[in-house]
Amino acid sequence: MAWMEWTEEYSVDIVKIDDQHKKLIGIINELYEALSIEGSKKEAINKVIGELYDYTQYHFSAEEELMRKFSYPQYINHKSAHDNFIMKVVEFQNEYRQGRIMVLSVELIQFVRDWLFNHILTVDKQYSSFFNQQGIK
Ligand SMILES: [Fe+2]
Ligand SMILES: [Fe+2]
């Protein structure tokens, strides 16, 4: 069983977005594995953090584009939640590069998992019926 698992409970009722969330969860599991393996190369961990950063940017942009396209009323709040998360990931990336490895392994991975699950359930799910009504499913 993977450390972080997508289940129907996390569905936002839009196939494309669910697929992106699944992919994001896959990268977080990869990061968890990289951090768990003793003697994991720093470059390997850095690479997965980079992937997490890139894919998160991609996913947030996709959601934000959809929100702008349909003038979603909660756009500003939703985007600022995304921006805060990105800032946090950059912060962790910097701390890691500065050598705080052990702290990072616990802090980063738990923060990322909790944030994403909570964001999907409370913030992302708010747009489901709005987009469904626009024919986005
Ligand atoms: Fe999302
Ligand atoms: Fe979101």
Side-chain angles (χ1 to χ4, degrees), residues 24-36:
L24 210 42
I25 286 170
I27 297 171
I28 295 167
N29 279 322
E30 263 178 58
L31 183 58
Y32 177 77
E33 274 163 40
L35 291 168
S36 304

Side-chain angles (χ1 to χ4, degrees), residues 19-53:
D19 286 346
Q20 290 178 7
H21 286 154
K22 287 174 197 169
K23 163 109 181 163
L24 210 42
I25 286 170
I27 297 171
I28 295 167
N29 279 322
E30 263 178 58
L31 183 58
Y32 177 77
E33 274 163 40
L35 291 168
S36 304
I37 298 165
E38 221 177 302
S40 237
K41 292 264 186 298
K42 192 168 177 169
E43 305 89 80
I45 294 170
N46 251 325
K47 190 173 158 269
V48 191
I49 297 178
E51 273 172 41
L52 174 68
Y53 176 80

